[in-house]
Every structure is written in structure tokens, then in C-alpha cells.
Amino acid sequence: MEMHSETPDTGRLNRFVITPFLVIASLYSLYLVIHPYTPFAKASLSILDLTQVQRATHVFFLLVAGYLLSSRRSGGKAGVGAYIFALMAAFPLYAFWQIDLALKFKIIASLFWLTAVLPAVYPSSGKWMDKLGALLVIIPYVYQVTQFKEIIDRAMVPEPWDLVMAFGLTLLLLGQVYRYTGAILPCLVFTFLLYNLYGNLFTGIFAHASFDFDLLLAKLFSETEAGLFGMITGVSVKYLVYFTILGGIIGALNLGRIIGNIASLAACGRPDGPGIVTVIASVFMGMFSGSGAADTQFVSTISKPMFEKGGYGKYEAAGIAATSGTIAMITPPVLGSMAFVMVEILSIPYSWVCIMALGPMLLYIVAIVSYNYLYVKMKGIKPVEDGVRYGKTYFLRYSFIFLPILLIVGFIYFGYSVSLAVVCSIALFVILSYLDPTLRPASPMVLIKGLANGFSSLIPIGTAVVCANLILTLMVMTGLPNKFSQFLTMVSGQSLMTATFLAAGFALLLGMGIPPTATYVVASSLTAPAILQVAMANGIPQEAALLSTHMFLMYYAVLADVTPPVALSAYAASSVFHTDPLKTGIYAAKVALPKYLLGFSFILGYQGTALLIIPMWRTTSMFDTITGFLVRLAMVSIGAILMAAATVGYTRRPLHRWECWVLGILSLGLFVPFLWINLAVIAASLWFFLGRKKEGAVVEDLGGADACAVSKPEAGS
């Protein structure tokens, strides 16, 4: 849907309704962290003290804010996805009308349904229906907050109003997810709902006794740790909202420009400088954001002029930016939302996930940097020198902006909650900005804008997380995870390669239509038990197998963000480079082709788990862990370099097509955790690096000037 230009009506809506509401939502979340340390902690307010009501309040803020923001949109035409969404939404409405209830309850439920679904097929109705949706969300929220104890007590025998509120809130959630992320995720929820309702129509391993719709609604609305207000929804409450607020504050304080300028120092007259800057900026921003698409948008904006001046191909540049941007989701200490879901599912410390992400992050960087370096050498690209020159003093001058990140690391290390760490880092960012005259905000409204933008950026992620909780609940009720794992085990036998290949393909396929968090939840629920069983049968200890399995699935959920045809990071890059999104996704997949194999390197054998550090550290000595990590990091890094060379078609010389294929096939042997195979591959690959450089195809040795092009921040920016 397209955005309207702002009219006086929408301007007033923004100033007097939407912005204040977003700020209140952010302040509520921030206050939850400090509440236990205030005198008001003894007041016993349910929205501040009870987990279930906190989550209901969080969902309330998400939905009201989401509908208010989407009410500013209209126009466009209903596509095929809209009609599929409306058709699938008709099934739960039909099921609700089959429940033995008075007519008034069915009519009220139909109003909720109409508000959620009608704008999909009649986009012109969206403006008013979305405003109605924002009002309707208030009804089930007030009902939930005022009667939460009674609702929980009668979960197995719900009253009519319980069913109406459950149906209405669920449909309003799915309607909003449709507005923000498209039809696939809500249709996936409807699919699992239909599986619960009509499981008796299936045969074989996937058959099950059908559930009554009233029982399903009660489960989704009334039970703790399930449905709308379950454990995964808690991830958004406990973690995600604080990181999006952090990102909003950083953006409002204009600190992104400082980060980009510091990253630009790495160019230093290097021919491959634009790509290096993009990677470094992605890592820096990944420390703060954890969002692949947002990181891609940022690095694409700062690196586009350098790519153009350097003479990169338009699609190669967009592909490098899109691939680099996804590093954000595996860059500690602020990882993507999947990391926090993993923490809750496995009940492990968040610091473990940060440590396990280090190896994949480093290998991901090696893959991109290798492609960039070889591409530059092959094309003979010259160094880019332009702009104001600063040198190392610039980094020293503004290096203090990394102090809040060190604060987060320190808090996590000493066992404090992640939310407290992030809230303290937000406060430190604000203090540092006010202390520096070149960064000092011109008005307190800057912080208001940051709080509003922070919560608004959570809406697509947060609602998708709640959807993931719905899916998980519906799957668990039917026993589908165990059934699917039995099926996967039966297909793969005892072959870990086959099981992981099928799981990776399943995760990538899912990720083409739904956000990474939902992809990870579904993929891990359905495939993790089978992979765990096969991994243990192949000699990997249980704890190591469990941790590496979930990291493997999280990694491939990340890759879905940059895998065509639906690749959010590719779309973000294409919007800046003005390229075709699908073609950009293809180039993004090509740029770091080894990234699709890196996940297999830490799960195909016990030695491979050393790349994740924690799985091996938990099952053997620290010396063996460090040694194994360094050996596997070296072998897989070489494999990534060889595959990048095969993709570009260049080593010390241009390669023939057959040489590219042979080198690419050889490189596969370095991704498996068997040292004798790795050494044999390295020996066989040396031939491709022998011979003279081709004259005219190579530029001067990389090296550098003491200073690079950056833009000076203006006072008060």
C-alpha cells in the first residue's frame, strides 16, 4: 500500500494521537525495567507486576499503534495474496458461527473479522477500518486486564465473552500482520488452525483428533505461556522493545553518521575500500540494531557514493550492501530477535548465544571480504579518495560512542538482565550526546522522536513474534513437531548431511515468505528434534548437538533475509541503489555464496561444533575448545576464500569457466570437519594460485593513506 502525503487531518493525528501514544508505549516499557527499584514497586499494579498482564499490555500497545500508523495508508489494488488471506480468514469465521452462542456474540465477532479483513480486498476502506481497529483493540484489552484471574480459571470452560474477545483479538492481530508483512505469515497461522480443526481428515503419521474451535480460542486467549501471551510474546516484552528503542534513540541523535564516518576510515585509499567500509559499518551498526533490513538501509546509504566513484557494478554494489546488512542479526552484543527466542526456548544465558554467534559472524565477514577483494582485483578498480580528510584523530575523537555497547557487554557478563543493560546504555547515549557540543540535540523533541520511532519500528517484528507464539501453540496441541521430526528422521535415515540439508532448505523456503523470527520458531519446532536425534547418533554429545542444532536453524533463518525471491535486505538495498529487487537478491546470494554452506560446517561433526565455542566447551576442555575453534576457523575461512574465487572467476589470474567449477567443488571439502580432507583440498587448490598475474587485470597493491573520506558532523546534528 502506498503512503498518502500528509494532510492537515493526518498531521493532527500524528501530533496529537500517534506520536504521544508511541512515546507512552516506549516509556511504559522503559519504566518496567526500573519499576522494581522505585517506591512504586509496592503498589502491586497488575500491568507492572504480573507477567500475563504485562504481555497483554504490550500486545495492546503494538496493535493500537500499528492500526493508527496503518490508517495513514491507503490506495493500491488488492492482489492475489489479499484474496487468499480473505478466503482463509473465512474458515475461522465459519467455525465461530458453528459454536452454540447467541446471535449477538456472533455479530460482534463478525465486526472484528470485518475490520481485520475488509481492507485487504477493498483497500480504499483501510483508512477508516484501521481507525476502527485501533478502537476495537481496547475492548479485549480492558476485558483481559479487569478479569485476567477469572479468565485463566475458566480456560477449559470459557464463557461466551471469552470466546468473542479471543476471536476478535486474534483476527485483529492477523489483520495487522497482513498490513505490515503481507499475506504469507497470517495464512500460515490459518493453515495450522485448519490443521487443528480438521486433523481427522489426514491419514498416516499426520492424522490427529480434531479440536473444537471454542477450545482452541480458549487456549489462545486464556492460558498462560501459550497463545497470544505466551513465552515467545514475552521475548518482545523482555528484549526486543528495548533494542528497537535503542535504535530509535541512536537514529534521532544522528549517531549513525558518526558510525559511518568511523567505518569510512577503513577505506584509506584501498581499491576495495567501499566494500570494506560497508562490512565494517554493518558490524558497527549490528552492535546497536540487530535488524538486517535496517542495517542494510543504513550501510547502503553511506556506501553508495563510494561504490559509484570506485566503478563497481551497480548490482555487485547492491549485493554487497544487502549481504553485509544481514550481519546485524549475528553480531554481538545486540543479536536479532531469534537469539532471544532461543534463550527462552533452551533456557540458556544470553551470553552463550553471543559467544556462539562469533564464529559464524567472522566467517560471514570472510566470505564477503574475499568476494569484494577478488572482484576489485579482477576489475582493476582504483582507490576512492574524496571528501574531508581526518585520519586516526577522528576515531579517537568519537570513539566514546562505543561505551554504551561496552556497558551492555559488562552488564551481561556480570549477570544483569539484558533489558536493564540496554536501558542503561540508552541513558548513557543520551548523556554522552548532551556532553558533546557537536552531537548535542537542538531540542528535547529529538528524544521524543527517538522514543516514537523506536516503538514504531518494533511493530512489524513484535506482531510477527506474537504470531510465532500462536503457531507454536497450535503445533504443540496437535503433536506436529514430533510427527514432522519422525517423518524427517524416516526420510534422512541416520545421515546427518541429509537431515541438515532438508532442514536448511525448509528454513530457507519458509523465510522467503515470513520474517526470520517466525521462520526460526517453525523450523526449530518441526526439525530440531530430528536433527538432534541424528546428530547424537553420529557421535555428537547431547548438549553440544542441541546448541549447534538451534544455532544452525537460526543461521539459516537469517539467510532467508537475503535469499531471493523474497529478501528484505535485498529490497532495502535496491531502494537505495535503484536496482531491481529480485535481481539484487540474486546478486546478494552470489556475493557471499559460501554463507549458504557455513552452517553445515558447525554441525556435521563434533569437531565442527568448535566453531560455536560453547557446545565444545561444555563437553571438553578449554584447551581443546580453543584449538578446535582456531583450526576450524582457519579451514572454513580458506574454504570461503576458495569459493569466492570460484564465484568471481579470479585468483592471481582470471580463471576459465571449468576452473571455476573445479575450484568451487574442491572448496566444499573445507566446510566439513574432517582435517585430512581439508588438507587434501588445500593441497589440490594450490594449482589455481600458481602462475603469473595477468597484466592489466590487477591494480596496485592495497595499501594506504593515513586518512580517508568522511563527513564532518555539524554542531547540534
Side-chain angles (χ1 to χ4, degrees):
M1 291 180 287
E2 298 177 356
M3 292 291 295
H4 270 312
S5 58
E6 187 169 288
T7 65
D9 287 341
T10 57
R12 285 192 293 271
L13 183 67
N14 288 337
R15 287 194 303 273
F16 299 117
V17 179
I18 297 178
T19 298
F21 189 85
L22 291 170
V23 172
I24 291 170
S26 289
L27 291 176
Y28 167 77
S29 300
L30 294 173
Y31 182 75
L32 281 181
V33 176
I34 64 174
H35 174 66
Y37 309 101
T38 68
F40 302 105
K42 298 179 180 179
S44 298
L45 297 174
S46 60
I47 63 171
L48 298 174
D49 299 306
L50 297 178
T51 299
Q52 189 79 353
V53 183
Q54 285 180 8
R55 293 174 183 174
T57 304
H58 184 74
V59 172
F60 163 74
F61 279 128
L62 283 174
L63 294 184
V64 173
Y67 274 111
L68 287 173
L69 288 169
S70 63
S71 70
R72 301 181 304 177
R73 305 174 180 177
S74 66
K77 296 181 179 180
V80 175
Y83 290 105
I84 294 175
F85 167 71
L87 176 63
M88 296 200 70
F91 286 100
L93 179 64
Y94 171 78
F96 191 90
W97 275 77
Q98 300 306 303
I99 301 174
D100 185 18
L101 294 174
L103 181 61
K104 66 177 182 179
F105 297 114
K106 298 178 181 180
I107 293 174
I108 295 172
S110 299
L111 176 62
F112 280 101
W113 184 91
L114 196 65
T115 304
V117 176
L118 183 63
V121 291
Y122 293 106
S124 59
S125 68
K127 180 178 179 180
W128 299 107
M129 282 297 179
D130 288 350
K131 290 178 181 178
L132 177 60
L135 293 174
L136 288 177
V137 171
I138 299 173
I139 300 173
Y141 172 67
V142 173
Y143 186 81
Q144 174 83 13
V145 171
T146 56
Q147 301 192 45
F148 65 94
K149 291 181 180 178
E150 294 83 355
I151 292 172
I152 293 173
D153 290 341
R154 59 177 181 251
M156 298 305 295
V157 282
E159 293 185 355
W161 281 115
D162 296 348
L163 299 177
V164 173
M165 297 300 113
F167 180 85
L169 190 60
T170 302
L171 263 294
L172 288 173
L173 168 70
L174 297 178
Q176 186 170 125
V177 172
Y178 168 79
R179 287 156 170 79
Y180 281 88
T181 64
I184 296 180
L185 181 55
C187 285
L188 188 63
V189 176
F190 288 135
T191 300
F192 284 110
L193 182 62
L194 290 174
Y195 180 64
N196 283 55
L197 291 173
Y198 304 109
N200 60 311
L201 300 180
F202 288 79
T203 58
I205 192 175
F206 292 105
H208 70 87
S210 300
F211 292 94
D212 294 330
F213 193 40
D214 55 350
L215 176 63
L216 291 177
L217 289 174
K219 186 80 173 178
L220 297 180
F221 185 73
S222 304
E223 288 200 12
T224 58
E225 299 305 328
L228 290 161
F229 314 117
M231 173 185 66
I232 300 177
T233 300
V235 169
S236 185
V237 181
K238 292 169 61 177
Y239 306 109
L240 303 185
V241 63
Y242 300 104
F243 287 109
T244 59
I245 294 173
L246 172 63
I249 292 294
I250 290 173
L253 294 174
N254 205 20
L255 297 178
R257 176 155 52 161
I258 305 299
I259 296 169
N261 288 343
I262 290 175
S264 297
L265 294 173
C268 292
R270 299 170 59 103
D272 62 344
I276 296 294
V277 169
T278 302
V279 172
I280 294 176
S282 297
V283 172
F284 284 168
M285 283 305 295
M287 293 178 180
F288 301 95
S289 72
S291 169
D295 200 7
T296 299
Q297 190 82 24
F298 169 76
V299 298
S300 297
T301 302
I302 67 167
S303 63
K304 181 185 176 184
M306 287 185 285
F307 280 122
E308 290 176 343
K309 291 173 184 175
Y312 279 69
K314 182 168 61 173
Y315 280 98
E316 281 81 2
I320 290 172
T323 303
S324 299
T326 54
I327 294 175
M329 290 186 280
I330 52 173
T331 300
V334 182
L335 299 168
S337 53
M338 292 169 291
F340 303 107
V341 175
M342 185 189 300
V343 166
E344 294 298 315
I345 290 176
L346 300 183
S347 298
I348 59 176
Y350 178 65
S351 56
W352 285 18
V353 185
C354 290
I355 294 171
M356 288 192 290
L358 287 173
M361 180 196 73
L362 293 173
L363 292 170
Y364 205 103
I365 291 172
V366 168
I368 302 170
V369 170
S370 300
Y371 179 94
N372 178 62
Y373 177 84
L374 293 167
Y375 174 80
V376 165
K377 299 291 278 185
M378 183 184 70
K379 294 294 185 180
I381 291 174
K382 302 295 182 182
V384 177
E385 296 272 358
D386 192 17
V388 184
R389 300 170 66 85
Y390 284 92
K392 296 178 181 178
T393 55
Y394 188 88
F395 173 77
L396 297 175
R397 168 68 177 80
Y398 290 105
S399 59
F400 65 83
I401 68 170
F402 293 99
L403 289 177
I405 293 300
L406 295 178
L407 180 68
I408 293 176
V409 174
F411 268 57
I412 293 173
Y413 177 79
F414 287 107
Y416 293 96
S417 68
V418 174
S419 56
L420 179 61
V422 179
V423 170
C424 290
S425 72
I426 291 171
L428 184 55
F429 267 121
V430 174
I431 292 170
L432 292 174
S433 295
Y434 271 96
L435 291 176
D436 191 302
T438 65
L439 300 176
R440 187 175 298 132
S443 164
M445 288 303 297
V446 169
L447 299 180
I448 298 297
K449 178 182 177 183
L451 292 172
N453 289 344
F455 196 86
S456 65
S457 65
L458 173 70
I459 292 169
I461 307 169
T463 50
V465 165
V466 181
C467 267
N469 213 130
L470 292 179
I471 291 172
L472 182 62
T473 301
L474 293 170
M475 287 194 299
V476 170
M477 289 184 68
T478 61
L480 183 61
N482 289 332
K483 296 174 182 178
F484 193 88
S485 290
Q486 291 176 30
F487 172 75
L488 184 59
T489 304
M490 183 172 58
V491 171
S492 61
Q494 294 299 312
S495 171
L496 187 55
M497 172 68 79
T498 303
T500 52
F501 180 80
L502 292 174
F506 180 67
L508 287 174
L509 186 63
L510 273 178
M512 290 178 184
I514 62 178
T517 304
T519 298
Y520 167 69
V521 170
V522 176
S524 62
S525 299
L526 295 179
T527 65
I531 298 176
L532 177 62
Q533 179 180 336
V534 177
M536 291 171 60
N538 280 265
I540 302 179
Q542 181 177 3
E543 187 173 14
L546 178 66
L547 294 173
S548 58
T549 293
H550 279 267
M551 279 300 297
F552 173 82
L553 294 170
M554 187 186 91
Y555 179 79
Y556 279 95
V558 169
L559 289 188
D561 210 37
V562 74
T563 301
V566 181
L568 294 180
S569 290
Y571 274 81
S574 68
S575 69
V576 176
F577 286 91
H578 305 296
T579 54
D580 176 75
L582 179 58
K583 196 172 180 181
T584 301
I586 294 172
Y587 272 82
K590 172 187 173 184
V591 161
L593 192 60
K595 66 179 179 280
Y596 290 100
L597 299 172
L598 297 180
F600 294 98
S601 64
F602 53 73
I603 199 172
L604 289 182
Y606 179 54
Q607 292 302 316
T609 66
L611 276 172
L612 302 177
I613 303 176
I614 296 293
M616 184 167 277
W617 170 69
R618 295 285 295 173
T619 51
T620 188
S621 67
M622 179 59 72
F623 176 79
D624 289 342
T625 300
I626 295 174
T627 303
F629 172 76
L630 295 176
V631 170
R632 293 310 311 146
L633 185 67
M635 294 297 104
V636 180
S637 295
I638 296 171
I641 294 170
L642 294 183
M643 183 163 285
T647 305
V648 175
Y650 187 88
T651 52
R652 284 168 54 87
R653 58 184 174 82
L655 300 177
H656 297 288
R657 185 176 295 274
W658 69 267
E659 291 178 303
C660 294
W661 279 100
V662 172
L663 183 60
I665 293 171
L666 277 175
S667 69
L668 298 178
L670 287 159
F671 293 94
V672 296
F674 304 109
L675 188 58
W676 63 273
I677 295 179
N678 303 155
L679 296 176
V681 168
I682 292 174
S685 301
L686 290 176
W687 183 85
F688 295 93
F689 292 84
L690 301 177
R692 296 183 177 182
K693 299 179 181 180
K694 183 176 179 181
E695 295 298 329
V698 184
V699 296
E700 297 86 352
D701 290 338
L702 298 178
D706 293 327
C708 316
V710 292
S711 21
K712 185 177 181 180
E714 299 173 4
S717 63

